[in-house]
Amino acid sequence: MKLLIVNPNISQSVTDLIAAEAQRSASGDTQLTLRTAAFGVAYIETRAEAAIGAYATLNELAEHYAGHDAAIIAAFGDPGLEAAREMLPIPVVGLTESALMSAAMLGGRIGIVAISQRIRAWYSETVDRYGMTSRLASIRCLDEPLPNIGSVQQDKGEQLVALCEAAVREDGADVLIIAGAPLAGLARSVAERIPVPVVDGVSCAVHQAELLARLNPHKASAGSYAVPPEKSWTGLSPALGQLIGRQRIS
Amino acid sequence: MKLLIVNPNISQSVTDLIAAEAQRSASGDTQLTLRTAAFGVAYIETRAEAAIGAYATLNELAEHYAGHDAAIIAAFGDPGLEAAREMLPIPVVGLTESALMSAAMLGGRIGIVAISQRIRAWYSETVDRYGMTSRLASIRCLDEPLPNIGSVQQDKGEQLVALCEAAVREDGADVLIIAGAPLAGLARSVAERIPVPVVDGVSCAVHQAELLARLNPHKASAGSYAVPPEKSWTGLSPALGQLIGRQRIS
Amino acid sequence: MKLLIVNPNISQSVTDLIAAEAQRSASGDTQLTLRTAAFGVAYIETRAEAAIGAYATLNELAEHYAGHDAAIIAAFGDPGLEAAREMLPIPVVGLTESALMSAAMLGGRIGIVAISQRIRAWYSETVDRYGMTSRLASIRCLDEPLPNIGSVQQDKGEQLVALCEAAVREDGADVLIIAGAPLAGLARSVAERIPVPVVDGVSCAVHQAELLARLNPHKASAGSYAVPPEKSWTGLSPALGQLIGRQRIS
Amino acid sequence: MKLLIVNPNISQSVTDLIAAEAQRSASGDTQLTLRTAAFGVAYIETRAEAAIGAYATLNELAEHYAGHDAAIIAAFGDPGLEAAREMLPIPVVGLTESALMSAAMLGGRIGIVAISQRIRAWYSETVDRYGMTSRLASIRCLDEPLPNIGSVQQDKGEQLVALCEAAVREDGADVLIIAGAPLAGLARSVAERIPVPVVDGVSCAVHQAELLARLNPHKASAGSYAVPPEKSWTGLSPALGQLIGRQRIS
Amino acid sequence: MKLLIVNPNISQSVTDLIAAEAQRSASGDTQLTLRTAAFGVAYIETRAEAAIGAYATLNELAEHYAGHDAAIIAAFGDPGLEAAREMLPIPVVGLTESALMSAAMLGGRIGIVAISQRIRAWYSETVDRYGMTSRLASIRCLDEPLPNIGSVQQDKGEQLVALCEAAVREDGADVLIIAGAPLAGLARSVAERIPVPVVDGVSCAVHQAELLARLNPHKASAGSYAVPPEKSWTGLSPALGQLIGRQRIS
Amino acid sequence: MKLLIVNPNISQSVTDLIAAEAQRSASGDTQLTLRTAAFGVAYIETRAEAAIGAYATLNELAEHYAGHDAAIIAAFGDPGLEAAREMLPIPVVGLTESALMSAAMLGGRIGIVAISQRIRAWYSETVDRYGMTSRLASIRCLDEPLPNIGSVQQDKGEQLVALCEAAVREDGADVLIIAGAPLAGLARSVAERIPVPVVDGVSCAVHQAELLARLNPHKASAGSYAVPPEKSWTGLSPALGQLIGRQRIS
């Protein structure tokens, strides 16, 4: 099996974290292709940054999906996920979606622990977009500047564990998601210290992508996830243009 | 990996169908233990039958879970699922839940196709229990007596395909679940004829059970899915009693 | 009028409390039959215990409903209520449902006060099952071990009154339910000290059961509360088997 | 027990229908006081007419509640119900609310059958106001002019039964409410022909009013159903002014 | 353009505040007609007072709407708004509705700051009536007696600013509404001190009323906002009676 | 006043339609700047096309917003709206949002009429994103190929009027939105033939943009619509980069 993993952020250090955790999670015979967004921001916290990341991600996916069995959008908040799902003939999952769906089978109410206050609104809207708001216990977030996004696990590990415990004791979380690609792997390393099951986005996404590829679903030819209707376009990369329509204007 | 699969119905013919599809879906090194409910009804369509099936299922799970990595409750509607998840130290999934969570990653609105009109209310309430009602496109059901529950796929195949198509064209389903253990395997055999991705409960449950076991989550020691508080009991099987409390009365 | 009251817990001391409060609430010409679950746990706090209690309750109801005008499932959380409503030809109510429906006519937002933290998730899911979550102000719970479930009113009376006041002042409750059969009668004895109307499950259930019996509704012969379709079964008590189907296997 | 029943419409013929059905439903020792709105319209179908009916009803209630144990607002749609509940020291119920709460204990999804298409929006908003929209199967309505509101049962009986059957077969109703004071008593007379339990507003309201009076709840002294804070007023009837404030402006 | 503004309260001092802020907001060529309720209370905080205010408002609107292009119901909570919208051939807006719809275009989650604890339930239900509860961050309220409703801005200005800040910092409000006609103009004068956009009901209502008048919509002749069906009435003012029906009784 | 209007589609013919209707709607002293997306597709029907259009729109807005008082994203579905609202110091509205908020003040349930079946899912999700799903009566759509998007009003006018009538008669719409920039102006020209108020996106957006500019709200400096936190970026246009962060990577 071959998985394409796109980091919608421009941070190579975060891509490296994702790659390491993804490799640890993948089946023995799974090969991973990692891509980092060609443009955008260091890490996505807002709707504006997510809109930029979505477009960068669609470009990477269009260019590189061929030959893969499934694809992963590797930023919590899943920028461009539904758009990619429409266009690509292979399954695509996001970190938030796959963590939510996995967590939902491990408990009732789901808590999310994240890296910044500002990121909360975007995450909250992402959960709502999947219709899972009634399952959400809370989103608890660090509230300090992050000097180095690549070392946030080391720098803020204790605070993150404390947020996990508060989500269980005060918010009624039955299961936790440690959110955000920069925290990839943390769930595994702190699991012993948390009184409920805890998952992370990267490992859930790799497992769910493999699962969906094994289910071998047909690409929709009807409904709202069929390929967008053919139409004229301009100014897109050839790969993206070919997916979105077939009739280029001049 | 070892999976325990409990059929909450008393029908051995349905257990055989489940076993065949589960074997086809399971990883090469996965071993399956199949159990059929010791008491109850031929197939569960109603809340009353589900309440009976839940208790029969808890008894089977309590008796046989030891030595397994995860368990599956193999009737659509998932009788006893949350109860089992509280008691057992291993992950437990149901057909409905795992099909819903898998389907949610393949499209937007989910259609369910099922074997009887009467079963609709129970299925609808099951979807609602997981907070997924906003994702539901429709539940479409056969509307004829089923003389032989074990051969419903052969007897009613064309009608079921027609229901699938109606769910897409009229109800806006982006992805379909063919529901109910008696239909295990049908999704695979008719997929070519359906214009959207189509999944079935048994294969999703086997895949998701393996996935959760690989995530290796800790059993909750806090929150509402921790083991029920110790208390006195009477009249339970020793295995069930040991899970539910430790202080037997007389 | 004759009412059948089943305590889904095995605690005779709680059955006695229920009987006393029910007798106080019932009309002069109403006769009560009290039954205690033949198997299960001392008091139900969790989904697992509720699944067991549901089956024990269905057995009691099947065995004893004949000759009664209505039945009451006398544990907050209403284990087996919808199942019983499908099977029985007489009205059946639960403590939670009848307290919620009564309280809804006395105010806007409803607060629930209960005996343990662990019980909160089950109660919350019960309220949601009736579609009443938008009416719920909060569920406030005692947070201490209960050495003796039969004397919790005496032991924890002041704490329970304090929870009531907090539900009004901090959570916006317009009306309160003191939940759980072990608290039967407390609403009456503390009403003077609570600044909003306060009801309890047992008295509401007795009154609502009488009310429904007087409305004299026909048993549904269509829809999802008609008697379950006839089908083969095994391993059930004769009384339960007769309600659930008519064709016993061997 | 003494009940005050106010018809928010000006139709004496409808008041007579209400009185007859209420008398049939009331306990042997219950005395009824019937009042008809002093101003307003023949029957309320719209939000505008309901606003007028609410004020007329509050005036009747203020003038006549003294000496009664509970009050009933006897138009489906319950004009002024929450307002009355704030002001009066006795329980107040409406036809819609008491029918919904009673029906909710007899089945899952509730169908409403009503006398005009125009009335649907107001009824739908009334159900929503009580948080019961998720329980609503459908509102089905006559679609013809009603020459005589007092004889609608005789004139349109067959059409109303057909609407009931459609609500069960096509909309999934498990229980039905025949709505509107002009249909008082119809539920009783057609019950044999309807395959699910069927209730009507007047009988439910009489029973629930008696029930609430027997619960003997204290008037709220806190929360949003306490008596409105004392303040200056003008232009109200003395009775209404006394309930709403105590400081009349010249 | 001519706008009719009705204050549903009897307080001339509040009408003066409304007039001043409305004049400041209105376009240069807009003429305002101000009316104060002929009966009712000093300021509306409860459902009962709102029901009275609704009727007083309908009377003013019926009497004076002729010759105007749009009308405004100038109390937060919008008493009688939907009723007026049914009856009148011109657009009608309320303070809450127009502030909510305006605020919704300036941010995501909306906070409301108001003048008394008691008013919260009524405001909350008003937001819910418009289907906007999911957009509501919180309603924060003063918690002290208001000796003079006409000078509340001067007397409680600092406390109101503190409530605004708490709504942003603690409740996640992205935009604020300073609610209630007695606070008309405060949003403008404190805007510099609040870290998110802040609007008030009067200025939003004037702007939205002008906007709707410019859209020049046809009065509905079908649907639930068409003029109420003609029917007999009694006891209404001639102006109101003419709007509600055409066939006066005796 | 100066308004910037960006067409997220690449169709100059649609931009011309938008310009004509916007000019007709704008106040006498309002100046309009029109921009057409530099890349993307002929008209947006899908999530994928909307993701592309969002990025193209953000680029146009960043490049050209300076000197304007408000901005309009002129495609129904509002691609990039929340992102733009975060970044820009001036108010930004979309066609869907401004039409919904305007329509909400003209009736209860809102119907949307649109140009293609495929567009329904995207529109439905847009309505949901604003929390307005409970106000939605239906989305009715043309079901034929559109050979020329610029002349759809002429080619399909009668069909669109028929959809409007069906939305009122069958779906209970109290007010209608004729959706999509290619239909700009149609609402005005067919209003006489539709029995409920009907609005269109372009005129509502122009009016609401003027309204918000006149309210003169402060740009948020806190909450989730404050400017995104400063961070490093690469590969963006200088204008967009300056809005999204200040620290460009090499």
Side-chain angles (χ1 to χ4, degrees):
Chain A
M1 176 157 335
K2 296 187 68 175
L3 300 182
L4 171 61
I5 303 178
V6 176
N7 176 10
N9 300 293
I10 58 171
S11 308
Q12 184 61 41
S13 64
V14 173
T15 307
D16 294 344
L17 270 171
I18 294 167
E21 187 64 17
Q23 201 63 63
R24 224 178 259 109
S25 302
S27 294
D29 61 343
T30 293
Q31 299 174 37
L32 306 178
T33 305
L34 270 292
R35 297 290 310 171
T36 304
F39 58 91
V41 300
Y43 63 100
I44 298 174
E45 293 179 295
T46 68
R47 303 166 186 98
E49 295 158 354
I52 295 168
Y55 188 62
T57 299
L58 294 184
N59 275 287
E60 292 299 319
L61 289 169
E63 197 75 43
H64 299 285
Y65 82 90
H68 293 85
D69 297 291
I72 294 170
I73 298 178
F76 215 80
D78 305 351
L81 178 59
E82 293 92 337
R85 192 167 283 155
E86 279 181 356
M87 290 193 310
L88 294 187
I90 56 173
V92 194
V93 298
L95 299 202
T96 305
E97 187 192 56
S98 54
L100 280 173
M101 299 303 159
S102 303
M105 294 181 284
L106 292 169
R109 304 190 72 220
I110 301 166
I112 295 177
V113 169
I115 59 174
S116 79
Q117 290 296 325
R118 181 58 191 265
I119 222 162
R120 183 200 307 269
W122 178 41
Y123 283 3
S124 169
E125 290 167 11
T126 300
V127 173
D128 199 52
R129 191 168 119 199
Y130 302 141
M132 297 288 280
T133 295
S134 67
R135 298 293 294 269
L136 188 64
S138 66
I139 302 177
R140 287 198 170 240
C141 304
L142 290 177
D143 196 13
E144 299 168 36
L146 300 176
N148 185 343
I149 191 66
S151 64
V152 61
Q153 298 188 36
Q154 289 72 45
D155 301 345
K156 306 286 179 185
E158 289 309 302
Q159 290 97 316
L160 288 161
V161 169
L163 293 176
C164 289
E165 283 171 355
V168 174
R169 305 291 175 197
E170 295 173 36
D171 307 331
D174 294 312
V175 52
L176 289 172
I177 298 170
I178 296 190
L183 300 179
L186 184 65
R188 203 170 16 81
S189 64
V190 300
E192 297 284 352
R193 301 170 58 191
I194 312 291
V196 300
V198 52
V199 300
D200 95 339
V202 173
S203 60
C204 288
V206 168
H207 284 300
Q208 293 288 5
E210 289 181 347
L211 181 153
L212 294 178
R214 286 184 192 122
L215 287 177
N216 192 26
H218 286 261
K219 170 66 186 174
S221 59
S224 79
Y225 281 90
V227 170
E230 184 171 343
K231 61 185 51 134
S232 56
W233 56 270
T234 194
L236 306 179
S237 78
L240 185 56
Q242 185 158 359
L243 282 174
I244 207 73
R246 265 134 287 177
Q247 180 189 352
R248 188 183 193 162
I249 295 180
S250 72
Chain B
M1 175 155 335
K2 297 187 69 175
L3 300 182
L4 172 61
I5 303 178
V6 176
N7 177 10
N9 300 293
I10 59 171
S11 308
Q12 185 60 43
S13 66
V14 173
T15 307
D16 294 344
L17 270 172
I18 294 167
E21 187 64 16
Q23 202 60 66
R24 224 178 259 111
S25 302
S27 295
D29 61 344
T30 293
Q31 297 175 40
L32 307 178
T33 305
L34 271 292
R35 297 290 309 171
T36 303
F39 57 91
V41 300
Y43 63 100
I44 299 174
E45 292 179 296
T46 68
R47 305 167 185 95
E49 295 158 354
I52 295 167
Y55 188 63
T57 299
L58 295 184
N59 276 287
E60 291 299 319
L61 288 169
E63 197 74 43
H64 299 286
Y65 81 91
H68 294 84
D69 298 291
I72 295 171
I73 298 179
F76 215 79
D78 305 351
L81 177 58
E82 293 92 339
R85 191 166 284 156
E86 279 181 355
M87 290 193 310
L88 295 187
I90 56 173
V92 193
V93 298
L95 300 202
T96 304
E97 187 192 55
S98 54
L100 280 173
M101 300 302 160
S102 303
M105 293 182 284
L106 292 169
R109 304 191 70 220
I110 300 166
I112 296 177
V113 168
I115 59 174
S116 79
Q117 290 296 325
R118 182 58 192 267
I119 223 163
R120 184 200 307 268
W122 178 41
Y123 283 3
S124 169
E125 290 168 11
T126 300
V127 173
D128 200 51
R129 192 169 120 198
Y130 302 142
M132 298 287 280
T133 295
S134 67
R135 297 294 295 268
L136 189 64
S138 66
I139 302 176
R140 287 198 170 239
C141 305
L142 290 177
D143 196 12
E144 299 167 35
L146 300 176
N148 184 343
I149 191 65
S151 65
V152 60
Q153 298 189 35
Q154 290 71 48
D155 302 345
K156 305 288 179 186
E158 290 309 303
Q159 290 97 314
L160 288 161
V161 169
L163 292 176
C164 288
E165 284 171 353
V168 175
R169 307 289 175 199
E170 296 173 36
D171 307 331
D174 294 313
V175 53
L176 289 171
I177 297 170
I178 296 189
L183 300 180
L186 184 65
R188 203 171 15 83
S189 64
V190 301
E192 297 282 353
R193 300 170 58 191
I194 311 291
V196 299
V198 52
V199 300
D200 95 338
V202 173
S203 59
C204 288
V206 168
H207 284 300
Q208 293 287 4
E210 290 181 345
L211 181 152
L212 295 179
R214 287 185 191 123
L215 288 178
N216 192 27
H218 287 260
K219 171 66 187 175
S221 60
S224 80
Y225 281 90
V227 170
E230 185 172 343
K231 60 185 52 134
S232 57
W233 56 269
T234 194
L236 306 179
S237 77
L240 185 56
Q242 183 158 0
L243 283 174
I244 209 72
R246 266 135 288 177
Q247 179 189 353
R248 190 185 191 158
I249 296 179
S250 75
Chain C
M1 177 158 334
K2 297 189 67 175
L3 301 182
L4 171 60
I5 304 179
V6 177
N7 176 10
N9 300 294
I10 58 171
S11 309
Q12 184 61 42
S13 65
V14 173
T15 307
D16 293 345
L17 270 172
I18 295 167
E21 187 64 17
Q23 202 62 64
R24 226 179 258 109
S25 302
S27 294
D29 60 344
T30 293
Q31 298 174 39
L32 307 177
T33 305
L34 271 291
R35 298 289 311 171
T36 303
F39 57 92
V41 299
Y43 63 100
I44 299 175
E45 292 180 297
T46 68
R47 304 167 186 96
E49 295 158 354
I52 295 167
Y55 188 64
T57 299
L58 295 184
N59 275 287
E60 291 300 318
L61 289 169
E63 198 75 43
H64 299 285
Y65 82 90
H68 293 84
D69 298 291
I72 295 171
I73 298 179
F76 215 80
D78 303 352
L81 177 59
E82 293 93 336
R85 192 167 283 154
E86 279 180 356
M87 290 193 310
L88 294 187
I90 57 172
V92 193
V93 298
L95 298 202
T96 304
E97 186 191 56
S98 54
L100 280 173
M101 300 302 159
S102 303
M105 294 182 283
L106 291 169
R109 304 190 72 220
I110 301 166
I112 296 177
V113 169
I115 58 174
S116 79
Q117 291 295 326
R118 181 59 191 265
I119 222 162
R120 184 201 305 268
W122 177 43
Y123 283 3
S124 169
E125 290 167 10
T126 300
V127 173
D128 200 52
R129 190 169 120 199
Y130 302 141
M132 296 289 278
T133 295
S134 67
R135 298 294 295 268
L136 188 65
S138 66
I139 302 176
R140 287 198 171 241
C141 304
L142 290 178
D143 196 13
E144 299 167 34
L146 300 176
N148 184 344
I149 192 65
S151 65
V152 60
Q153 298 188 37
Q154 291 70 47
D155 302 345
K156 307 285 178 187
E158 289 309 302
Q159 290 97 315
L160 288 161
V161 169
L163 292 176
C164 289
E165 284 171 354
V168 174
R169 306 289 175 199
E170 295 174 36
D171 307 331
D174 293 313
V175 52
L176 289 172
I177 298 170
I178 296 188
L183 300 179
L186 184 64
R188 203 171 15 82
S189 65
V190 300
E192 297 283 352
R193 301 170 58 190
I194 311 291
V196 300
V198 53
V199 301
D200 93 339
V202 172
S203 61
C204 288
V206 168
H207 284 300
Q208 294 287 4
E210 290 181 346
L211 181 152
L212 295 179
R214 286 183 192 123
L215 287 178
N216 192 26
H218 287 260
K219 171 67 186 175
S221 60
S224 79
Y225 281 90
V227 171
E230 185 172 343
K231 59 185 54 133
S232 57
W233 56 270
T234 194
L236 307 179
S237 78
L240 184 57
Q242 184 158 359
L243 282 174
I244 208 72
R246 267 134 286 177
Q247 179 188 351
R248 188 183 193 160
I249 295 180
S250 72
Chain D
M1 177 156 333
K2 296 187 69 175
L3 301 182
L4 172 61
I5 304 178
V6 177
N7 176 11
N9 300 293
I10 58 171
S11 308
Q12 184 61 42
S13 65
V14 173
T15 306
D16 294 344
L17 271 171
I18 294 167
E21 187 63 18
Q23 202 62 64
R24 225 177 260 109
S25 302
S27 294
D29 62 343
T30 294
Q31 298 174 39
L32 306 178
T33 306
L34 271 292
R35 297 290 310 173
T36 303
F39 57 92
V41 300
Y43 63 101
I44 298 174
E45 293 180 295
T46 67
R47 303 166 186 97
E49 295 157 355
I52 295 166
Y55 188 64
T57 299
L58 294 184
N59 275 286
E60 291 300 319
L61 289 169
E63 197 75 42
H64 299 285
Y65 82 90
H68 293 85
D69 299 290
I72 295 171
I73 298 179
F76 215 80
D78 304 351
L81 177 59
E82 293 92 337
R85 191 167 284 155
E86 279 180 356
M87 290 193 309
L88 295 187
I90 57 173
V92 194
V93 298
L95 300 202
T96 304
E97 186 191 56
S98 55
L100 280 173
M101 300 303 160
S102 303
M105 294 182 284
L106 291 169
R109 305 190 71 219
I110 301 166
I112 296 177
V113 168
I115 58 175
S116 79
Q117 291 296 325
R118 182 58 192 267
I119 222 162
R120 183 201 305 269
W122 177 42
Y123 282 4
S124 169
E125 289 167 11
T126 300
V127 173
D128 200 52
R129 195 167 117 198
Y130 302 142
M132 297 287 279
T133 295
S134 68
R135 297 294 294 268
L136 188 65
S138 66
I139 302 176
R140 288 198 169 239
C141 304
L142 290 177
D143 196 13
E144 299 168 35
L146 300 176
N148 184 344
I149 192 65
S151 65
V152 60
Q153 297 188 37
Q154 291 70 47
D155 302 344
K156 306 287 178 185
E158 289 309 302
Q159 289 98 315
L160 288 161
V161 169
L163 292 176
C164 288
E165 285 172 353
V168 175
R169 306 289 175 200
E170 295 173 36
D171 307 331
D174 294 313
V175 52
L176 289 171
I177 298 170
I178 296 189
L183 301 179
L186 184 65
R188 202 171 16 82
S189 65
V190 300
E192 297 283 352
R193 301 170 58 190
I194 313 290
V196 299
V198 52
V199 300
D200 94 340
V202 173
S203 60
C204 288
V206 168
H207 284 299
Q208 293 287 5
E210 290 181 346
L211 181 153
L212 295 179
R214 287 185 190 122
L215 288 178
N216 192 25
H218 287 259
K219 171 66 187 175
S221 60
S224 79
Y225 281 90
V227 170
E230 186 172 343
K231 61 185 53 134
S232 57
W233 57 271
T234 194
L236 306 180
S237 77
L240 185 56
Q242 184 158 1
L243 282 175
I244 208 72
R246 266 134 287 175
Q247 180 188 352
R248 188 182 192 162
I249 297 181
S250 67
Chain E
M1 177 158 332
K2 296 187 69 174
L3 300 183
L4 172 61
I5 304 178
V6 176
N7 177 9
N9 300 294
I10 59 171
S11 309
Q12 184 61 42
S13 65
V14 173
T15 307
D16 294 344
L17 269 172
I18 295 167
E21 186 65 17
Q23 202 61 65
R24 225 179 258 110
S25 302
S27 294
D29 62 343
T30 293
Q31 297 174 39
L32 306 178
T33 305
L34 272 292
R35 297 290 309 171
T36 303
F39 57 91
V41 300
Y43 62 100
I44 299 174
E45 293 179 295
T46 68
R47 304 166 186 96
E49 295 158 354
I52 295 166
Y55 188 64
T57 299
L58 294 183
N59 275 286
E60 291 300 318
L61 289 169
E63 197 74 43
H64 299 285
Y65 81 91
H68 293 85
D69 298 290
I72 295 170
I73 298 178
F76 216 79
D78 305 351
L81 177 59
E82 293 92 338
R85 192 168 282 155
E86 279 180 357
M87 290 193 310
L88 294 188
I90 57 172
V92 193
V93 299
L95 299 202
T96 304
E97 187 191 56
S98 54
L100 279 173
M101 299 303 159
S102 303
M105 294 182 283
L106 292 169
R109 304 190 72 219
I110 300 167
I112 296 177
V113 169
I115 58 175
S116 79
Q117 290 296 326
R118 180 59 192 266
I119 222 163
R120 184 201 307 269
W122 179 41
Y123 282 3
S124 169
E125 290 168 10
T126 300
V127 173
D128 201 51
R129 191 169 119 200
Y130 302 141
M132 297 287 280
T133 295
S134 67
R135 297 294 294 269
L136 189 64
S138 66
I139 302 177
R140 287 198 170 241
C141 304
L142 291 177
D143 196 13
E144 299 167 35
L146 301 176
N148 184 343
I149 191 65
S151 65
V152 60
Q153 298 189 35
Q154 289 71 47
D155 302 345
K156 306 287 179 185
E158 291 308 302
Q159 291 96 315
L160 288 161
V161 169
L163 293 176
C164 288
E165 284 171 354
V168 174
R169 306 289 175 199
E170 295 174 36
D171 307 331
D174 294 313
V175 52
L176 289 171
I177 298 170
I178 296 189
L183 300 180
L186 184 65
R188 202 171 17 80
S189 64
V190 300
E192 297 283 352
R193 301 170 57 190
I194 312 290
V196 299
V198 52
V199 301
D200 95 337
V202 173
S203 59
C204 288
V206 168
H207 283 301
Q208 293 288 3
E210 289 181 346
L211 180 153
L212 294 179
R214 287 183 191 124
L215 287 178
N216 192 27
H218 286 260
K219 171 66 187 174
S221 60
S224 79
Y225 280 90
V227 170
E230 185 170 342
K231 62 185 50 134
S232 57
W233 56 270
T234 195
L236 307 179
S237 78
L240 185 57
Q242 185 158 0
L243 283 174
I244 208 74
R246 265 134 288 176
Q247 180 189 351
R248 189 183 192 162
I249 295 178
S250 75
Chain F
M1 175 155 333
K2 296 187 68 174
L3 300 182
L4 171 61
I5 303 178
V6 176
N7 176 11
N9 299 293
I10 59 171
S11 308
Q12 184 61 41
S13 65
V14 173
T15 307
D16 294 344
L17 271 172
I18 294 167
E21 187 64 17
Q23 202 62 65
R24 224 178 258 111
S25 302
S27 295
D29 61 344
T30 293
Q31 298 174 38
L32 306 178
T33 305
L34 270 293
R35 297 291 310 172
T36 303
F39 57 91
V41 300
Y43 64 100
I44 298 174
E45 291 179 296
T46 68
R47 305 165 185 97
E49 294 158 355
I52 295 167
Y55 188 63
T57 299
L58 294 184
N59 275 288
E60 292 299 319
L61 289 169
E63 196 74 45
H64 299 285
Y65 82 90
H68 293 85
D69 298 290
I72 294 170
I73 297 178
F76 215 79
D78 306 351
L81 177 58
E82 293 93 336
R85 191 167 284 155
E86 279 181 357
M87 291 193 308
L88 295 187
I90 56 173
V92 194
V93 298
L95 300 202
T96 305
E97 187 192 57
S98 54
L100 280 173
M101 300 302 160
S102 303
M105 293 181 284
L106 292 169
R109 305 191 71 219
I110 301 167
I112 296 177
V113 169
I115 59 175
S116 79
Q117 290 297 325
R118 181 59 192 266
I119 223 162
R120 184 200 306 268
W122 178 42
Y123 283 3
S124 169
E125 290 168 11
T126 300
V127 173
D128 200 52
R129 192 167 118 200
Y130 302 141
M132 297 287 279
T133 295
S134 68
R135 297 293 294 268
L136 189 65
S138 66
I139 302 177
R140 287 199 170 239
C141 304
L142 291 177
D143 196 13
E144 299 168 36
L146 300 176
N148 183 343
I149 191 66
S151 65
V152 60
Q153 297 188 37
Q154 290 72 47
D155 302 345
K156 306 288 178 184
E158 290 309 302
Q159 290 97 315
L160 288 160
V161 169
L163 292 176
C164 288
E165 284 172 353
V168 174
R169 305 293 175 197
E170 296 173 36
D171 308 331
D174 293 313
V175 53
L176 289 172
I177 297 170
I178 296 189
L183 300 179
L186 184 65
R188 201 170 19 82
S189 64
V190 300
E192 297 283 353
R193 301 170 58 191
I194 312 291
V196 299
V198 52
V199 299
D200 94 339
V202 173
S203 59
C204 287
V206 168
H207 284 300
Q208 293 288 4
E210 289 181 345
L211 181 152
L212 295 179
R214 287 183 191 123
L215 288 178
N216 192 26
H218 287 260
K219 171 65 187 176
S221 59
S224 80
Y225 281 90
V227 170
E230 185 172 342
K231 61 184 54 134
S232 57
W233 56 270
T234 194
L236 307 179
S237 78
L240 185 56
Q242 184 158 0
L243 282 174
I244 208 74
R246 265 134 290 177
Q247 180 189 352
R248 187 183 193 163
I249 296 180
S250 68

